[in-house]
Amino acid sequence: AGAAGLVCAETLRQEGFSDRIVMCTMDRHLPYDRPKLSKSMDSHPEQIALRPKEFFCTYDIEVLTEMQVAAVDIKNKTALFKDGFKMEYNKLLIATGNTPKALSCKGKEVENVFNIRTPEDANRVVKLATSKNVVIVGASFLGMEVAAYLTERAHSVSVVELEEVPFKKFFGERVGRAVMKMFESKRVKFYMQTEVSELREQEGKLKEVVLKSGKVLRADVCVVGVGAVPATGFLKQSGINIDSKGFIVVNKMMQTNIPGVFAAGDAVTFPLALRNNKKVNVPHWQMAHMHGRIAALNMLAHGMEISTVPYLWTAMFGKSIRYAGHGEGFDDVVVQGDLDELKFVAFYTKSDEVVAVASMNYDPIVSKVAEVLAAGRTIRKRDHCWVLFSFFFFRTGDMSWLTGKGS
């Protein structure tokens, strides 16, 4: 019942489907905006609901909460629930998202160690962190957003990360270091190129985080953001094609290898047109929406293929980083602007081609580049577009040279 599932249900109704639609979720709430949990941690479920309760009644979309599917029987077209309940389907969408990785160190069962998965988790962390010491394990998007949110509330915020700078694999070292400096200016302390060896407790509750470097950090609450794995374990015996990393494999129509079974969102790997139809996993909010829509259209036999450009944003300390494309495997980063002033555009290239772009305080460059990529046009490093970009956009905001709409 995340974005992919909800958009699929909505699209089915928009396209005139009048039969029964049932959404099943392990959560206790109606669909809500989960990415907001790390950006606005004291939000209540009603505040971040994707649709009000009345919407589901009006459009006759059933939502079964606190219901977990334990297996899928493709032969009999049946979903088998953990409590023994069974439900038949004509078409099935699997959009189970992912499961956060837990720490495997000594003391991992200590109280006040959290993955942020529900509004209750986020609310509890804010309450426990107020005027206390917080340690965040993992400089991921979730980890960094939580760090930014808690800085003004907690006594201290520390981030522990295996890499040398945050976001190194995603944004590159230079952009990652600029973001790190911004956090350091807000009193966030970083402990890089190390990991947690032990969580120590006092009277059952977290008291210290011990690092492999030997450093001991005072901690009243710990948030873990060290990545996630696809929530697809229940499909292992189903016959539905799962790759070696656990992702559900789909084609451009979001169809699995089983007729009538579709998959969408963070749990899938799909062909990305932008990268010559390479099978990729893109766990972005915008992509989940598109997956859900494409799946619904093809449930109704519209023959629609996915061709969107990945797009995401993150907000920290009132500043937003926007990103478009798929930069996995980039071999160079060309930066225009001033990283120290946090006013920049970074182009990620692979060989001679721009595969992604990120910016801070330079809208609408990312959206414009996304338009160009969506049109099937290639931006090449050798085109000297960096010089043109500096001249036209920094001075005038005129993007016609890039979109091809002007002279």
Side-chain angles (χ1 to χ4, degrees):
L6 179 60
V7 170
C8 181
E10 289 187 2
T11 304
L12 288 170
R13 287 291 185 245
Q14 288 168 347
E15 294 295 317
F17 179 74
S18 58
D19 212 334
R20 191 179 183 195
I21 298 175
V22 183
M23 298 176 66
C24 309
T25 174
M26 289 170 60
D27 218 306
R28 68 174 66 175
H29 307 292
L30 291 173
Y32 60 88
D33 188 347
R34 180 166 276 147
K36 278 191 178 174
L37 294 180
S38 54
K39 298 179 179 75
S40 182
M41 297 181 67
D42 53 3
S43 297
H44 297 296
E46 300 76 25
Q47 295 173 305
I48 57 175
L50 294 173
R51 291 286 184 256
K53 187 177 180 179
E54 296 73 28
F55 173 89
F56 298 95
C57 296
T58 301
Y59 293 100
D60 193 21
I61 297 170
E62 300 172 50
V63 184
L64 304 182
T65 56
E66 297 183 90
M67 292 284 281
Q68 182 176 355
V69 174
V72 173
D73 180 347
I74 61 170
K75 184 178 179 181
N76 296 305
K77 291 192 170 185
T78 304
L80 311 171
F81 290 77
K82 198 171 184 179
D83 64 0
F85 181 65
K86 296 181 181 180
M87 184 175 286
E88 293 183 2
Y89 63 83
N90 297 110
K91 296 287 194 297
L92 175 68
L93 177 76
I94 303 168
T96 44
N98 55 36
T99 302
K101 291 179 182 177
L103 295 179
S104 57
C105 62
K106 183 180 177 182
K108 61 181 179 180
E109 305 301 330
V110 170
E111 277 189 50
N112 297 344
V113 178
F114 295 86
N115 291 115
I116 305 292
R117 288 294 292 172
T118 66
E120 290 78 13
D121 291 337
N123 296 170
R124 182 83 176 133
V125 167
V126 172
K127 187 175 180 180
L128 289 170
T130 303
S131 301
K132 300 290 186 178
N133 302 297
V134 180
V135 172
I136 295 162
V137 185
S140 57
F141 283 104
L142 181 143
M144 296 292 276
E145 287 170 359
V146 168
Y149 190 83
L150 294 179
T151 299
E152 292 183 0
R153 294 161 177 81
H155 174 70
S156 70
V157 177
S158 302
V159 176
V160 179
E161 168 60 39
L162 207 48
E163 293 283 352
E164 56 190 302
V165 297
F167 304 130
K168 183 179 178 181
K169 290 181 181 176
F170 199 85
F171 289 134
E173 186 174 347
R174 291 174 66 196
V175 172
R177 202 167 291 284
V179 172
M180 186 172 169
K181 283 182 180 179
M182 175 178 72
F183 274 74
E184 288 174 329
S185 72
K186 303 290 186 178
R187 298 187 305 112
V188 176
K189 292 185 178 179
F190 287 90
Y191 299 88
M192 309 303 282
Q193 295 180 286
T194 188
E195 52 190 320
V196 176
S197 64
E198 183 183 357
L199 299 173
R200 287 181 182 163
E201 52 92 12
Q202 186 175 43
E203 298 178 357
K205 295 181 179 178
L206 181 67
K207 196 64 182 175
E208 293 176 334
V209 174
V210 184
L211 307 183
K212 287 192 175 175
S213 63
K215 183 74 176 176
V216 178
L217 308 178
R218 292 179 62 191
D220 299 290
V221 59
C222 176
V223 176
V224 181
V226 292
V229 294
T232 56
F234 70 103
L235 298 173
K236 283 183 179 177
Q237 307 301 321
S238 67
I240 296 168
N241 190 10
I242 308 291
D243 72 8
S244 60
K245 294 182 179 178
F247 294 110
I248 304 166
V249 180
V250 297
N251 62 16
K252 286 186 176 183
M253 296 182 181
M254 307 314 295
Q255 295 172 327
T256 68
N257 60 309
I258 305 299
V261 179
F262 297 77
D266 293 4
V268 310
T269 178
F270 70 101
L272 184 63
L274 184 69
R275 298 294 296 271
N276 297 315
N277 294 320
K278 176 185 176 183
K279 287 286 181 75
V280 300
N281 170 252
V282 181
H284 300 171
W285 185 242
Q286 163 263 354
M287 191 57 75
H289 283 245
M290 185 57 69
H291 281 182
R293 178 167 176 76
I294 297 296
L297 293 173
N298 290 310
M299 285 178 171
L300 302 175
H302 285 1
M304 184 70 70
E305 294 186 351
I306 191 165
S307 62
T308 190
V309 174
Y311 191 103
L312 72 85
W313 65 276
T314 182
M316 298 165 291
F317 301 116
K319 297 185 182 298
S320 176
I321 299 179
R322 300 176 191 273
Y323 178 97
H326 187 69
E328 186 178 62
F330 66 85
D331 52 34
D332 194 15
V333 185
V334 181
V335 177
Q336 295 282 345
D338 192 328
L339 287 170
D340 291 331
E341 293 293 322
L342 298 174
K343 193 172 185 180
F344 64 86
V345 182
F347 291 89
Y348 299 86
T349 64
K350 189 171 175 62
S351 299
D352 187 40
E353 187 177 339
V354 174
V355 292
V357 60
S359 79
M360 184 180 278
N361 288 325
Y362 263 119
D363 294 336
I365 180 64
V366 169
S367 296
K368 291 294 185 181
V369 171
E371 284 180 24
V372 175
L373 297 176
R377 298 185 63 183
T378 301
I379 304 174
R380 298 202 176 277
K381 203 173 177 180
R382 65 170 180 263
D383 292 338
H384 306 295
C385 65
W386 330 118
V387 177
L388 288 166
F389 167 76
S390 298
F391 179 78
F392 282 98
F393 184 70
F394 284 2
R395 296 188 184 184
T396 69
D398 181 2
M399 293 291 296
S400 61
W401 61 273
L402 185 57
T403 60
K405 293 175 183 173
S407 57

